[in-house]
Amino acid sequence: MARIHEWLVQCPLVAILRGIRPDEVLDVCEVLARAGFRMIEVPLNSPDPFMSIALLAGRFADSLLIGAGTVMDSTQVARVVDAGGRLIVMPHADPMVVEAAKKRGMTVLPGFATPTEAFTLIAAGADGLKLFPAEAHPPKVLRALRAVLPKDMPVLPVGGITPDHMAEYWAAGADGFGLGSALFKPGDTPAAVEIKAAAFMKAFHGLAARTP
């Protein structure tokens, strides 16, 4: 888990670039890196995602944690590795995918919705847990989960997170957030992403300033 903690300390916001194309991914990621983002996820249901991951890994391998989201099986894990990715994010609680990723030295954030799923994923070697979809799990649910989960196991709510939604989750024990369409959606220009990234960073720095 040490590696994910190191990235979370730098910036605990994961940029989810669902739908991004290879011809635009570098410009968008440049904007995000300047804003302070350090973890970038290209969901595998995006156009030519492995090409986008390879381009990002070639440009940002030394400064950003680059990888894939919506990873559904171990064959996809191997392709992400071959593209140069180092992060695997899953929407579901499949311990076999977690184990396959850990065997390849990847950082893994699988999705969970129940305590049973969470502890199964922890046993499989998950570096952190993605509470998904966050819309179905309000902050009071996260607070209850944090009472039983290991204190050093990061939990990141994902799904419907906006700058206005972060405060309650942070107070309930969130260690970071996955940011999707509120940060990037297909058709967004780098300038549009820059504005939204700044809003998220401002909201996060406000949380960090008043929350231990």
Side-chain angles (χ1 to χ4, degrees):
M1 288 184 289
R3 286 181 300 173
I4 191 63
H5 283 289
E6 291 168 4
W7 291 107
L8 290 169
V9 166
Q10 293 183 54
C11 178
L13 306 179
V14 181
I16 303 170
L17 306 182
R18 190 178 308 280
I20 199 160
R21 305 186 312 270
D23 65 313
E24 61 186 346
V25 72
L26 290 176
D27 289 340
V28 169
C29 198
E30 289 277 8
V31 164
L32 293 170
R34 287 198 303 268
F37 283 77
R38 291 295 175 263
M39 292 179 281
I40 308 293
E41 167 192 341
V42 178
L44 293 187
N45 55 359
S46 303
D48 204 352
F50 299 105
M51 176 59 74
S52 290
I53 292 168
L55 290 168
L56 292 176
R59 175 77 65 86
F60 299 103
D62 293 335
S63 57
L64 305 180
L65 181 61
I66 302 295
T70 318
V71 179
M72 302 303 295
D73 59 53
S74 57
T75 62
Q76 293 177 330
V77 170
R79 293 191 66 188
V80 176
V81 172
D82 290 343
R86 295 182 290 161
L87 172 67
I88 296 293
V89 184
M90 305 153 49
H92 64 318
D94 187 340
M96 294 181 65
V97 179
V98 174
E99 291 167 0
K102 294 310 298 177
K103 286 179 181 177
R104 301 298 294 267
M106 307 288 276
T107 296
V108 191
L109 297 174
F112 83 105
T114 68
T116 298
E117 291 177 342
F119 283 103
T120 298
L121 296 167
I122 292 169
D127 296 286
L129 299 172
K130 165 183 170 178
L131 182 60
F132 179 78
E135 297 101 322
H137 299 84
K140 64 182 179 181
V141 173
L142 175 58
R143 189 181 302 277
L145 289 165
R146 287 266 50 148
V148 296
L149 292 175
K151 294 187 183 302
D152 63 347
M153 174 55 58
V155 178
L156 287 72
V158 180
I161 300 297
T162 70
D164 294 336
H165 289 154
M166 294 167 66
E168 287 184 293
Y169 281 105
W170 190 257
D175 298 286
F177 301 91
L179 311 177
S181 59
L183 177 65
F184 171 85
K185 62 180 184 296
D188 280 352
T189 64
V193 175
E194 183 174 22
I195 292 170
K196 292 191 281 189
F200 272 111
M201 293 302 293
K202 180 179 179 180
F204 170 69
H205 287 306
L207 298 177
R210 66 175 184 269
T211 304

